[in-house]
Amino acid sequence: MTPRQLRSSMLVLSMLTMGGAVAIALTLLQDDIVYYHIPSHIDTQAPPSDTIRIGGVIEKDSLQRHDNQLSFRITDYTATIPVTYQGVPPSLFREESGAIVEGTFRHDGVFHAQSILAKHDENYMPPAINATEPALTHSPSMPSPY
């Protein structure tokens, strides 16, 4: 075997090894990777029966609280889906803020959320840091860490 053939063989062998490692990693992560759908990508006439995640913005003036149950609409400004949730929402959960809800559709077309993940904007500062370092959060010359 010539040196050129040996280099070519090593290159092909290393590419096959890396490709195999990537294929194995993706196969193992397939069950753990969770995506979310936006409301306009969900067919509300035939909603999925599995547990899914829906991401969007809580529509303004749609949030209603009844005892321990919340009802609201989540939107991507193209489509809107009614959601109900039983429990205490996250502290960042409010109208016109981003959220991801995980749950299932009922037969009446209402999405029954089992969990809510509230999203914050890029200017969010945890309350503990905000209270101890007010100059950091109110300084207009402070560069964004992102």
Side-chain angles (χ1 to χ4, degrees), residues 30-54:
Q30 191 170 18
D31 291 337
D32 294 331
I33 296 175
V34 178
Y35 300 101
Y36 67 87
H37 306 275
I38 59 174
S40 60
H41 288 175
I42 296 174
D43 182 10
T44 55
Q45 300 302 317
S49 59
D50 298 338
T51 299
I52 62 169
R53 286 183 170 187
I54 301 173

Side-chain angles (χ1 to χ4, degrees), residues 30-132:
Q30 191 170 18
D31 291 337
D32 294 331
I33 296 175
V34 178
Y35 300 101
Y36 67 87
H37 306 275
I38 59 174
S40 60
H41 288 175
I42 296 174
D43 182 10
T44 55
Q45 300 302 317
S49 59
D50 298 338
T51 299
I52 62 169
R53 286 183 170 187
I54 301 173
V57 175
I58 308 305
E59 193 174 71
K60 186 178 181 180
D61 299 329
S62 70
L63 183 61
Q64 297 177 350
R65 297 174 194 261
H66 301 286
D67 296 326
N68 199 19
Q69 182 171 351
L70 296 174
S71 61
F72 55 93
R73 291 186 300 272
I74 191 164
T75 183
D76 61 356
Y77 302 112
T78 302
T80 302
I81 294 177
V83 179
T84 62
Y85 174 71
Q86 186 85 24
V88 178
S91 60
L92 295 174
F93 182 79
R94 62 182 176 272
E95 291 181 344
E96 296 184 305
S97 67
I100 297 174
V101 293
E102 182 177 10
T104 56
F105 276 96
R106 293 183 186 161
H107 297 295
D108 58 359
V110 176
F111 188 78
H112 178 69
Q114 297 159 345
S115 65
I116 297 175
L117 302 171
K119 297 168 72 176
H120 59 79
D121 64 4
E122 65 272 2
N123 297 322
Y124 174 75
M125 182 70 68
I129 293 175
N130 196 12
T132 60

Side-chain angles (χ1 to χ4, degrees), residues 125 135-145:
M125 182 70 68
L136 289 176
T137 58
H138 301 297
S139 173
S141 62
M142 177 78 177
S144 172

